[in-house]
Amino acid sequence: SDRHRSGGVSFETYEEVGFNFRMTDIQAALGLSQMLRLDEFVARRHATAQRYDQLLSGIPVLVPWQHAEGYSSYHLYVIRLKLGKISKTHRQVYEALGKADIQVNLHYIPVYRQPYYEHLGFSRGYCPQAEKYYSEAITIPMHPSLTESQQNCVIESLKSLLSS
């Protein structure tokens, strides 16, 4: 993979399709030990997601939808900017959050926009809904050890950015 920067936004691109199934013995041992805490980690992520849902109401973003019968692990918490209701671009919001030391990410560039698939003839516009999603989505911090204070910082930064 290659790391690219485009107007301050960095993202990974992949030139070839491949697989990587290697794991070290130490990684396996750590993974097994963490399995004992999995329920605790997921419960903490649920509490964090529920708090995000509440604190983000009234801000021009869409929060992740969850089916009533589903049970997400909340591996990621991806918001979608309501671009028609804010004065900033997706890139401006992403970069401003990064400058505020909030670890945000972009998930995921549509796979057919990766160089490997572009070489096969796929081009921008092939899946307009996937591209719309990508142009609005920003992944905000989500992990079991995220504190309420850290979460408040994320929310206050978003409120400030999206109201100006």
Side-chain angles (χ1 to χ4, degrees), residues 113-160:
R113 299 266 313 274
Q114 296 287 347
Y116 175 84
Y117 291 99
E118 287 180 341
H119 294 305
L120 294 176
F122 293 94
S123 61
R124 187 179 301 266
Y126 180 70
C127 295
Q129 290 304 312
E131 292 190 29
K132 181 179 186 323
Y133 176 88
Y134 181 65
S135 74
E136 300 169 343
I138 295 178
T139 303
I140 59 177
M142 168 58 83
H143 50 85
S145 60
L146 188 69
T147 66
E148 286 189 2
S149 175
Q150 291 168 324
Q151 202 174 18
N152 289 342
C153 181
V154 172
I155 298 301
E156 291 308 314
S157 294
L158 278 168
K159 281 182 181 178
S160 175

Side-chain angles (χ1 to χ4, degrees), residues 60-62 79-83 86 89-90 93 136-138 162:
V61 300
L62 295 172
I79 60 171
R80 290 178 65 182
L81 303 175
K82 293 181 180 179
L83 294 172
I86 63 175
T89 66
H90 180 247
V93 173
E136 300 169 343
I138 295 178
L162 301 181

